[in-house]
Amino acid sequence: MIDITNEDHTLIKSHIILPRVLTAFERDIALIKATLKTLGPYVDAIAEAQRKLTADIYEVRKGFRQRGIKVYEEVTDGGGGWRVDAEVSRAEY
């Protein structure tokens, strides 16, 4: 059995959290566009954060490939909690 390292845990946690933050940013932009008349600076700041977050998501996926991590199920309990079933299959170092 392969031990899951702290780095693996960090990648898996990022895999779960980052897309949810990206969704929140998208919701925030829609809300700002619907309620503010001067939206340029706010939307620009969120859009820049989205670009950086998208780059982070890419790096997490790259880390998954390099480490042989596969997430095959994410389960949420509806109250903000979640459980992830993941598999790590890599050659022993």
Side-chain angles (χ1 to χ4, degrees), residues 2-62:
I2 297 173
D3 290 327
I4 297 178
T5 66
N6 286 335
E7 292 84 10
D8 295 340
H9 281 282
T10 300
L11 280 173
I12 292 168
K13 186 175 179 180
S14 294
H15 170 77
I16 294 165
I17 293 172
L18 294 179
R20 285 166 175 75
V21 173
L22 192 59
T23 299
F25 284 161
E26 291 167 358
R27 186 178 56 238
D28 291 348
I29 286 177
L31 181 64
I32 288 169
K33 286 182 176 180
T35 58
L36 296 179
K37 293 186 189 271
T38 308
L39 48 105
Y42 302 107
V43 172
D44 291 346
I46 294 172
E48 180 61 26
Q50 283 180 305
R51 282 189 284 280
K52 290 179 181 179
L53 191 59
T54 300
D56 289 345
I57 291 170
Y58 171 79
E59 290 300 320
V60 167
R61 290 181 180 155
K62 184 175 157 184

Side-chain angles (χ1 to χ4, degrees), residues 43-87:
V43 172
D44 291 346
I46 294 172
E48 180 61 26
Q50 283 180 305
R51 282 189 284 280
K52 290 179 181 179
L53 191 59
T54 300
D56 289 345
I57 291 170
Y58 171 79
E59 290 300 320
V60 167
R61 290 181 180 155
K62 184 175 157 184
F64 269 37
R65 284 190 302 275
Q66 290 172 342
R67 294 176 162 277
I69 299 172
K70 293 183 192 223
V71 171
Y72 54 90
E73 184 178 17
E74 290 182 43
V75 179
T76 60
D77 64 8
W82 43 267
R83 185 189 87 237
V84 174
D85 293 327
E87 178 180 295

